[in-house]
Amino acid sequence: MKLNQISVFLENRPGALSAPCRILAEAGINIQTFALADTREFGILRLMVRDWQKAKEVLEKNGYVVKVTEVLALAVPDRPGGLAEVLEVIERANVNVEYTYAFTGKHKGQGLLVFRFSDPDAAVKALMAGKVNVLSAEEMANEVWK
Amino acid sequence: MNKTKSPPPMHPISAMDFLPPQRLREVQFMRLKAMVQRAYDRVPLFRQRMDERKLTPADLKTLDDIVKLPFTTKTDLRDTYPFGLFASPLSEVARFHASSGTTGKPIVVAYTKEDLDDWTRAMMRSFAACGVRNGDIVQNAYGYGLFTGGLGAHYGAEGIGASVIPISGGNTDRQIMIMKDFGVTVICCTPSYFLHIIDRATELQVDLKELPLRIGVFGAEPWTENMRQRIEAESGIKAYDIYGLSEIVGPGVAMECEHQAGPHIFEDMFYPEIIDPQTLEVLPDGAEGELVLTTLCKRAMPMIRYRTRDITSLDPEPCECGRTIRRIRRIGRRSDDMLIIRGVNLYPSQIEAAILRVEGTLPHYQIIVDRQKDLDVLEVQVEVTSEVFSDTVGAIEQLQQRLSRSIEGVTGLRAAVRLVAPKTLQRSEGKAKRVIDKRKL
C-alpha cells in the first residue's frame, strides 16, 4: 500500500527548481505529481515518479541530497465532505498528517491525494478499516501512471 | 559645547610610564627573574620545558637572555585546561576569567588579589594616558562577565576616580539615553559598537557632538585609522586605542596617550618582543612580526613569552608625550585564523566542534563574516548531507536551530545558520575555504 516518494533539498534561489526537473527530463523520467514545501531559505521538493530508484540515482549522481519517504495515495470522493470523512478516519487512529498534496488527474472519478502520515502503517490499518480506497503500487502503475 | 580643555595634571599612577630607559630595563630584569623563578618552581609544564633546554632560572644573566626561554602558546592553555598553568593554589585565586579557546573549551585565566590590583593599576594608567580623570563619567559598555573587558575597565575607571556606569553591552537605545541623561564624558566599548551607537543616535535625532562626551576607549577588536577618523568626525570625541588579551591580563596591556600615536605598552608589567612567526627569531624594533608578551608581575598565572598571534611592530621613537615605554603599531591582522566578531574571539575550529556535536559527522561549512550597519554579523553555511536531511520543513528548521544553539554554546556568538545544497560551497584546489571575511577594515 505504501508508495515511495522522493524528496530533494533545494536552496531558495532562482533556478533551484528547474535544475532537478531538467535532470529528470534528461533521464526520461516523468514527474507524475509534485509539491514544494518552501521557507525563506530553502525548499523541499517532493516528487512522485514511476521509477523512484532511477530518479534517486540520477539526482544523487548530480549532487542532490535525496530522501525516500513512504507515503500513501488515497482516492477521495469528489464531493463536499469527501476529504473530511477520510481525515476523520485518520484522526480517530490518532495519526498525524505531516503533509498532503493532490494528483492533477482523477482516479475513477475520485480525487487522488498523496499523504505523508506520522505513522504510515497505523494509517494504512485505520484507512482500510475505514474503507478508504488506498491505492497499491500496482494500481498506481496500471491505473494512474499509464 | 566646547570640548577643548587644558591638559590635565599628570596622575601619579603614570609615573612608571616615564622611567628613564636604563631604570626601566633594570625593573624589567628584576621582575623577570623573580617571575621565571616562580613559574619554574610552581608550573610543571614550564619546568619541564626549561629542563629540556637544560636551563634554570640562574641562566638569566641579562634581560636579553629572555630569548632562551621557551614560548607559551594558546595550545598550552588548552592542553592544561582548566588550571594547569596556575602558579598559585586555588585558595589564593581571587577571580577567574575566560575567553574562547580554539575548540569547545574556553581558555581559563586566574588572578590573585595582588594580580587584580596590578591589573587595576594598568587600567588606571590606561585611562590616565588618554586624559580620563576624577570627575569624568564613564559609561562602560564592555560586556561584564567572563570576558575581561567589562570588569577590567570598570575597576580601572573607579580607580582613577571617575564615576562608572556599569551598563555592559547591548540595548543601544538605552545606552544613548543614559549617555545623554547622565552627561557621560567617556565611553568604553568596541569601536564597531560605537559606530553603531553613532548611527542609532542619528536615527534618534541625538547629536553626540552636543553631548559632554569627549573620550572613547576602544578596543577588543582590530580597527583602522579610517574608523577613528569617522568616529571623531561624526561624534566630536577623541577615539583611543586600547590593547589587551585575557591570557596576559585583559585590557590595559597597552594604551594610546593623548597624541594617539599607537598604544604604549606598560613595559614594566608586560615585556614585549616581536618575532618572526615562522623562524621564531626575535626581530629588531621597527620590524613587523608577531607580538610576544611576558608578564612580569603576574602571580596566579605567569605567562612567559606568550605568542599573541597579533601582528605589529615596536616603535622605539620617543613619543611627544614624553613616555619612555615603547609603542606598538595598531594591530591590523593576526598570524593565525582567529577572527574577532563583535569583540569576541572566534576560531573556525570552534564552529567545526559545534557542528560536529549536532551532526556527528562534519559536513562542508563556511563562515561568512560581514559588517552591516557597523555591526559584525556571522553566518554559518552548512551543506546538507543525506544523513541529516529530512523531508519535513519542521525537522530541517529544527536542525538549523540545533546548529545555531550549539554554535552559541561553544562560541558565545549568535550566528545565522543557513543550510545549503551539497557541493555548493566554494572549494579551492580541493581544499575547503572555511572563512569569508567581507568586512572592510
Side-chain angles (χ1 to χ4, degrees):
Chain A
M1 292 285 132
K2 291 178 287 185
L3 306 173
N4 288 310
Q5 165 205 260
I6 61 174
S7 304
V8 185
F9 179 88
L10 301 176
E11 283 178 55
N12 194 348
R13 58 175 167 74
L17 183 57
S18 64
C21 295
R22 174 68 39 210
I23 290 163
L24 292 174
E26 277 161 13
I29 296 168
N30 187 37
I31 299 170
Q32 298 297 332
T33 189
F34 79 99
L36 187 64
D38 66 300
T39 70
R40 204 164 52 83
E41 289 177 355
F42 66 88
I44 302 167
L45 175 62
R46 298 169 183 139
L47 297 164
M48 293 298 287
V49 298
R50 200 173 198 147
D51 190 349
W52 63 270
Q53 284 109 328
K54 189 174 169 198
K56 180 174 190 283
E57 193 189 306
V58 294
L59 286 169
E60 281 181 342
K61 217 166 66 193
N62 282 278
Y64 286 90
V65 174
V66 179
K67 191 171 179 76
V68 177
T69 312
E70 291 179 334
V71 295
L72 302 182
L74 306 187
V76 178
D78 189 12
R79 56 164 168 77
L83 179 56
E85 284 158 22
V86 170
L87 291 174
E88 278 156 18
V89 170
I90 285 300
E91 241 166 65
R92 280 197 294 273
N94 221 1
V95 173
N96 191 36
V97 177
E98 294 192 342
Y99 51 81
T100 177
Y101 53 97
F103 271 87
T104 39
K106 281 188 180 178
H107 177 250
K108 294 179 178 166
Q110 291 191 306
L112 202 50
L113 299 177
V114 179
F115 275 91
R116 165 69 190 173
F117 294 109
S118 54
D119 184 344
D121 292 312
V124 170
K125 237 172 93 187
L127 291 163
M128 301 299 275
K131 306 232 181 321
V132 177
N133 187 6
V134 184
L135 276 77
S136 67
E138 291 73 41
E139 284 173 293
M140 290 298 288
N142 301 329
E143 295 164 25
V144 183
W145 292 337
K146 290 172 286 218
Chain B
M1 184 163 292
N2 183 9
K3 296 200 182 192
T4 59
K5 60 185 189 320
S6 57
M10 194 184 75
H11 193 285
I13 195 82
S14 298
M16 290 298 273
D17 300 3
F18 296 88
L19 280 186
Q22 187 51 41
R23 178 72 192 122
L24 175 61
R25 300 292 163 241
E26 285 167 20
V27 169
Q28 287 172 327
F29 182 52
M30 191 184 70
R31 289 181 173 177
L32 177 69
K33 270 201 304 190
M35 212 221 33
V36 166
Q37 185 69 55
R38 182 181 177 87
Y40 185 77
D41 292 342
R42 295 170 173 233
V43 183
L45 181 74
F46 181 65
R47 185 179 199 121
Q48 179 202 323
R49 290 194 177 156
M50 291 287 277
D51 290 347
E52 284 164 8
R53 287 169 172 73
K54 304 207 173 9
L55 283 174
T56 69
D59 293 311
L60 277 179
K61 303 264 195 279
T62 69
L63 189 54
D64 291 337
D65 288 335
I66 192 171
V67 302
K68 296 176 181 168
L69 299 177
F71 290 106
T72 308
T73 63
K74 195 153 201 160
T75 314
D76 297 329
L77 280 138
R78 187 191 66 198
D79 294 346
T80 57
Y81 173 87
F83 303 151
L85 294 184
F86 289 11
S88 296
L90 286 179
S91 59
E92 288 171 22
V93 168
R95 197 196 297 164
F96 299 101
H97 279 284
S99 74
S100 317
T102 48
T103 56
K105 299 278 190 192
I107 295 299
V108 180
V109 295
Y111 307 76
T112 65
K113 273 206 155 54
E114 297 91 333
D115 290 336
L116 290 173
D117 290 344
D118 280 341
W119 183 17
T120 296
R121 273 191 282 274
M123 279 306 297
M124 286 169 66
R125 287 163 72 177
S126 302
F127 282 120
C130 67
V132 178
R133 51 188 186 245
N134 174 245
D136 270 316
I137 298 175
V138 175
Q139 180 162 346
N140 185 17
Y142 284 118
Y144 281 66
L146 281 177
F147 173 54
T148 49
L151 289 175
H154 180 96
Y155 286 108
E158 275 189 5
I160 206 81
S163 315
V164 183
I165 308 168
I167 192 165
S168 200
N171 199 339
T172 310
D173 287 9
R174 193 177 58 152
Q175 299 270 1
I176 292 166
M177 177 186 77
I178 285 182
M179 187 179 285
K180 193 168 150 229
D181 295 349
F182 287 26
V184 166
T185 57
V186 179
I187 175 84
C188 303
C189 61
T190 61
S192 56
Y193 187 58
F194 190 68
L195 280 170
H196 182 68
I197 289 179
I198 290 177
D199 287 347
R200 185 64 188 144
T202 308
E203 285 169 12
L204 297 174
Q205 295 177 320
V206 173
D207 186 354
L208 295 180
K209 287 183 185 166
E210 293 298 315
L211 303 184
L213 191 68
R214 61 187 177 90
I215 289 174
V217 177
F218 298 128
E221 67 182 13
W223 51 308
T224 60
E225 200 52 40
N226 280 344
M227 281 168 79
R228 163 143 54 202
Q229 281 163 12
R230 212 193 120 193
I231 287 171
E232 295 193 341
E234 294 181 20
S235 68
I237 69 167
K238 286 277 191 190
Y240 297 96
D241 189 11
I242 187 164
Y243 173 74
L245 61 166
S246 348
E247 297 92 313
I248 296 303
V249 75
V253 172
M255 174 65 188
E256 280 188 327
C257 68
E258 289 181 283
H259 295 275
Q260 298 175 304
H264 288 274
I265 290 209
F266 299 112
E267 278 195 71
D268 53 301
M269 303 177 76
F270 315 108
Y271 185 78
E273 297 171 89
I274 298 289
I275 64 162
D276 178 323
Q278 260 76 53
T279 66
L280 306 184
E281 263 172 69
V282 176
L283 302 175
D285 278 2
E288 186 182 87
E290 181 183 328
L291 179 65
V292 170
L293 290 169
T294 298
T295 59
L296 296 176
C297 324
K298 277 278 262 327
R299 292 160 191 81
M301 203 169 165
M303 277 289 132
I304 291 159
R305 305 195 81 200
Y306 183 74
R307 293 189 57 185
T308 65
R309 300 290 180 176
D310 287 321
I311 300 292
T312 182
S313 59
L314 278 172
D315 187 352
E317 292 303 309
C319 181
E320 281 181 62
C321 71
R323 280 181 174 75
T324 50
I325 51 176
R326 286 172 286 179
R327 285 167 290 153
I328 51 172
R329 203 171 32 78
R330 186 198 290 281
I331 310 255
R333 61 190 180 90
R334 293 179 52 85
S335 71
D336 64 2
D337 59 358
M338 188 182 93
L339 295 157
I340 301 179
I341 317 280
R342 302 192 285 269
V344 177
N345 299 348
L346 174 73
Y347 289 90
S349 52
Q350 291 177 286
I351 299 285
E352 200 160 304
I355 297 173
L356 202 57
R357 219 158 63 168
V358 172
E359 299 202 7
T361 56
L362 191 65
H364 275 282
Y365 68 93
Q366 200 160 57
I367 299 165
I368 293 158
V369 190
D370 206 347
R371 190 161 278 181
Q372 289 166 9
K373 292 183 93 182
D374 296 310
L375 275 189
D376 293 334
V377 286
L378 177 65
E379 180 177 278
V380 180
Q381 297 190 346
V382 184
E383 284 187 1
V384 171
T385 61
S386 49
E387 285 80 26
V388 297
F389 177 50
S390 154
D391 103 308
T392 61
V393 168
I396 293 186
E397 284 179 339
Q398 218 170 46
L399 173 67
Q400 264 179 330
Q401 278 163 19
R402 280 168 59 215
L403 285 167
S404 231
R405 269 200 298 272
S406 179
I407 289 168
E408 192 174 350
V410 171
T411 67
L413 283 164
R414 212 160 282 177
V417 171
R418 189 184 172 92
L419 294 170
V420 297
K423 302 193 175 62
T424 49
L425 294 180
Q426 207 180 318
R427 290 156 173 83
S428 51
E429 292 157 21
K431 269 185 76 179
K433 193 167 166 37
R434 292 297 188 210
V435 180
I436 294 179
D437 195 341
K438 297 177 175 170
R439 295 174 295 185
K440 303 221 171 10
L441 283 177

